Amino acid sequence: MTVRLHNTLTKQTGEFESQESGKVKLYTCGPTVYNYLTVGNWVAYIAWDTLVRVLQADGYAVERVMNITDVGHLVSDADDGEDKLEKGAKREGKTAWEVAEFYGSDFLQGMQRLNLLMPEHITKATEYIPQQLELVRTLKGKGFTYQIDDGIYFDTSKFPTYADFAGLDLDAQRAGARVAFNDEKRSPSDFALWKFTPAGEKRDMEWPTPADLTDDGMERPGFPGWHLECSAMAMDILGSTLDIHTGGIDHIPVHHTNEIAQSEAATGKTFSKYWLHNNHLKVDGTKISKSLGNGYTLDDLKERGFSPLDYRMFVLQSHYRSEGNFTFENLDAAKNRLRGLQAAADLKWQPVENGSGIAVASLDGHKEAISKALNDDLNTPQALTHVSSLEATLQASGIEQASVPAFQELLDWLDTVLGLALANRPDITDEQKALMRDRTAARDAKDWATSDTLRDALAGQGIVLRDGPNGTVWERA
Ligand SMILES: [Zn+2]
């Protein structure tokens, strides 16, 4: 199957073509690890996990790099303000290294909890300092840089297509530059490739700026700019031209625009053929902000009785390019929807007689519809509509004995594309099956008291019985 994707670069949705047949070089902008990730942050990682899953299902070998920004991401996009890591260190009375280690490993655990596939390469910015300095060196050699008091900057006026990717109005930017604008910069859109540690300060994370990179030939301590990190790591591992680069829509006007400028200025080649961007998530209709305390973490959800997969289901219900709205009511609806799918998956343990339930051909039709939706610019809500219609059919008719192996195959496939862990759910125990049989016998004998007692005993073990058109089926509560 060929996948259609919306490319921010061309502003069009079209058939994806990789540079090398059957292979995809993918770069995902990773987190800045100075705090716990919120539900708003996780949306991106779930979206790009779906992208990888769909590409793999289409037969591509995907090589993905995801960075961990553990230095140099400043609080402000204008290259001033504090480094988020150093800020986190002050907040917690730790070193920036300790903060990065703690939240970096929390992020990786979160990825596992959400059943996200691990990228082939997870790269920490602090482990790619030589590559970043080399990129500065290349850009300096080609005349794209200049130095001011606080660092080495990229001269955006030297890169004529700078404004194109995001459709920026640079004249308006210049006119609108406020007094706070660092007036040593030649233009407001110029950005720091490498910052110097301010005189008299000592940062937790700093490296010598090689003498050949400074105007006066003096070595001094410094640290990389956030944009430089992504370009250096992406190109070091994947080469000059990526197939796909992903990130959030907030990255378009500054971070990704700058990545493109510095990478293409250095190599003279297209940095990435496709750019995919996920939209924001609001909470209760408003932006996530510290002051509102609505930046819920996976642990916050857990405290309220929701699993990471409930949240994954919630995210998949929206298209990655539309703005989502998180409320606990919406999350509860997603949780119930996932429970419904789990119950339908568990019908494989309780098949009906051949000839009376769903047959293999019908399963194939559902799979095709789900696959088609996913390959249409990762249309997960549409795919889930088809999954739910399969669920409704299963609940109404049951799965017939002869179709169970095909149903299992479908569940395995669903797990590879949606990651909702439906395929490997266990059967109930022999003891529980015996209780169920005894309860049916009591019910047939109209011994309601015994029937109720047995039903309650199973409920106490988390097994709920439902009497329906296909007899009694169990579900996990
Ligand atoms: Zn990035």
Side-chain angles (χ1 to χ4, degrees):
M1 177 116 22
T2 51
V3 59
R4 289 165 56 78
L5 296 172
H6 182 82
N7 189 355
T8 308
L9 190 63
T10 58
K11 301 176 180 59
Q12 277 170 5
T13 307
E15 212 168 274
F16 168 71
E17 281 179 49
S18 61
Q19 299 171 84
E20 198 183 327
S21 169
K23 287 193 176 171
V24 177
K25 296 175 181 184
L26 172 62
Y27 185 85
T28 298
C29 279
T32 301
V33 286
Y34 69 112
N35 212 333
Y36 295 110
L37 267 70
T38 68
V39 288
N41 303 128
W42 282 120
V43 166
Y45 302 100
I46 296 171
W48 310 132
D49 185 67
T50 305
L51 171 66
V52 171
R53 287 167 179 277
V54 171
L55 289 169
Q56 287 179 343
D58 287 343
Y60 287 102
V62 179
E63 184 175 12
R64 179 164 54 141
V65 177
M66 185 172 69
N67 66 299
I68 301 268
T69 294
D70 55 358
V71 65
H73 190 173
L74 304 184
V75 171
S76 147
D77 261 349
D79 291 317
D80 47 37
E82 259 182 306
D83 185 325
K84 291 184 179 184
L85 266 294
E86 304 268 337
K87 191 180 174 188
K90 275 183 209 156
R91 180 188 68 218
E92 304 193 1
K94 293 179 181 169
T95 68
W97 293 101
E98 288 167 337
V99 167
E101 182 58 38
F102 180 82
Y103 291 109
S105 78
D106 185 77
F107 168 69
L108 295 177
Q109 281 168 31
M111 282 192 73
Q112 285 176 347
R113 291 164 74 185
L114 285 161
N115 200 19
L116 302 175
L117 302 174
M118 283 294 159
E120 286 62 36
H121 312 271
I122 296 182
T123 56
K124 290 181 184 172
T126 50
E127 292 174 356
Y128 282 78
I129 299 297
Q131 289 88 339
Q132 294 166 50
L133 287 167
E134 193 51 40
L135 187 49
V136 178
R137 187 169 287 119
T138 303
L139 291 167
K140 186 169 191 260
K142 294 190 171 188
F144 285 100
T145 67
Y146 62 91
Q147 181 179 322
I148 55 177
D149 250 14
D150 72 351
I152 302 169
Y153 281 72
F154 185 92
D155 187 342
T156 54
S157 71
K158 300 259 171 76
F159 189 74
T161 54
Y162 181 80
D164 293 359
F165 182 64
L168 300 175
D169 183 345
L170 296 179
D171 290 334
Q173 247 186 41
R174 226 163 274 131
R178 279 174 288 154
V179 201
F181 163 59
N182 178 347
D183 55 13
E184 274 194 79
K185 286 204 311 193
R186 291 176 187 167
S187 159
S189 55
D190 293 355
F191 58 93
L193 297 164
W194 185 264
K195 295 266 290 186
F196 301 136
T197 303
E201 270 184 39
K202 172 90 182 105
R203 288 170 47 96
D204 287 339
M205 292 174 166
E206 56 183 24
W207 295 264
T209 315
D212 68 304
L213 294 185
T214 64
D215 284 351
D216 54 8
M218 298 280 284
E219 208 177 78
R220 68 197 73 188
F223 59 98
W226 171 41
H227 320 303
L228 182 77
E229 298 171 2
C230 282
S231 290
M233 291 186 279
M235 293 196 292
D236 186 63
I237 297 172
L238 299 173
S240 305
T241 304
L242 321 174
D243 290 302
I244 307 175
H245 191 310
T246 67
I249 50 170
D250 51 319
H251 291 151
I252 297 172
V254 180
H255 183 51
H256 287 170
T257 288
N258 292 350
E259 276 190 44
I260 290 171
Q262 68 201 0
S263 306
E264 299 190 354
T267 67
K269 294 176 186 158
T270 301
F271 179 41
S272 183
K273 300 274 187 191
Y274 292 80
W275 288 82
L276 269 60
H277 290 98
N278 64 283
N279 208 322
H280 294 296
L281 180 74
K282 287 189 167 175
V283 170
D284 295 322
T286 59
K287 233 181 128 176
I288 296 176
S289 77
K290 200 165 288 167
S291 56
L292 291 172
N294 59 359
Y296 302 112
T297 64
L298 291 180
D299 281 338
D300 292 333
L301 304 190
K302 189 180 166 193
E303 266 173 37
R304 299 192 191 208
F306 297 101
S307 74
L309 287 187
D310 294 338
Y311 180 64
R312 184 182 177 106
M313 180 66 162
F314 163 79
V315 173
L316 293 177
Q317 291 187 130
S318 297
H319 190 260
Y320 75 93
R321 287 199 289 123
S322 42
E323 188 179 80
N325 186 32
F326 177 91
T327 65
F328 279 100
E329 289 74 33
N330 291 347
L331 182 60
D332 200 43
K335 175 182 176 169
N336 287 331
R337 192 170 184 189
L338 182 57
R339 294 295 168 278
L341 297 188
Q342 291 167 339
D346 288 343
L347 290 176
K348 75 180 177 195
W349 298 115
Q350 329 175 52
V352 297
E353 273 173 42
N354 288 338
S356 68
I358 295 189
V360 176
S362 161
L363 294 177
D364 289 346
H366 281 98
K367 178 179 171 180
E368 202 180 311
I370 296 162
S371 174
K372 208 171 155 200
L374 289 172
N375 280 286
D376 183 12
D377 197 24
L378 314 179
N379 194 337
T380 51
Q382 185 65 44
L384 284 172
T385 301
H386 293 302
V387 176
S388 291
S389 112
L390 169 65
E391 177 201 340
T393 317
L394 283 163
Q395 293 291 8
S397 316
I399 184 83
E400 62 180 39
Q401 186 77 52
S403 302
V404 169
F407 183 42
Q408 179 63 50
E409 261 178 51
L410 177 62
L411 292 172
D412 287 335
W413 177 79
L414 274 177
D415 275 6
T416 64
V417 288
L418 296 174
L420 291 172
L422 297 171
N424 297 311
R425 297 169 55 76
D427 197 357
I428 55 173
T429 64
D430 288 344
E431 290 76 16
Q432 288 167 334
K433 283 178 192 168
L435 285 175
M436 232 178 120
R437 273 195 303 273
D438 292 349
R439 187 251 174 187
T440 303
R443 198 159 160 263
D444 288 348
K446 299 194 165 31
D447 177 356
W448 308 120
T450 306
S451 164
D452 285 353
T453 307
L454 292 169
R455 174 194 280 265
D456 292 348
L458 280 165
Q461 300 174 27
I463 303 295
V464 177
L465 300 184
R466 294 199 194 289
D467 302 313
N470 307 307
T472 304
V473 294
W474 57 262
E475 288 180 10
R476 289 197 174 81

